[in-house]
Amino acid sequence: MEKDFISPEEAVTLHGVFLERVKRTPEACAYRHFDNRQEQWISFTWREMLEQVARWQAALLRENLTAGDRVAVRLRN
């Protein structure tokens, strides 16, 4: 099996796939977007994405949500 393949048994959930990818290739490019102000592509590593996810998780935990609560996130597309 190739190294980058993450099996369903290893991942179990979508969050599990994300964590496994961070574990395997933390410094690899995860996402890129074009910054119009800087007129260049900006890259983010899997480690940086984990840090972003952790910030969102912490913010949502502070909201005292309970299972089943709905949350909307408004971001530019």
Side-chain angles (χ1 to χ4, degrees):
M1 215 170 269
E2 69 181 72
K3 183 181 176 199
D4 287 341
F5 179 77
I6 299 172
S7 72
E9 294 78 24
E10 292 172 294
V12 182
T13 64
L14 184 57
H15 182 67
V17 172
F18 175 73
L19 293 178
E20 188 63 28
R21 178 54 55 211
V22 172
K23 183 172 106 178
R24 291 184 188 195
T25 58
E27 301 309 319
C29 180
Y31 303 101
R32 295 177 66 196
H33 78 88
F34 191 79
D35 186 309
N36 289 320
R37 284 185 277 190
Q38 296 182 39
E39 296 184 352
Q40 67 180 358
W41 286 95
I42 307 295
S43 298
F44 298 93
T45 66
W46 287 106
R47 184 184 314 276
E48 290 169 323
M49 289 294 95
L50 180 64
E51 292 167 2
Q52 288 285 332
V53 167
R55 280 198 287 275
W56 278 97
Q57 287 174 324
L60 289 170
L61 283 172
R62 287 191 298 270
E63 296 300 319
N64 296 316
L65 300 167
T66 60
D69 286 351
R70 294 182 181 195
V71 175
V73 178
R74 183 174 176 233
L75 300 171
R76 278 185 40 184
N77 189 357

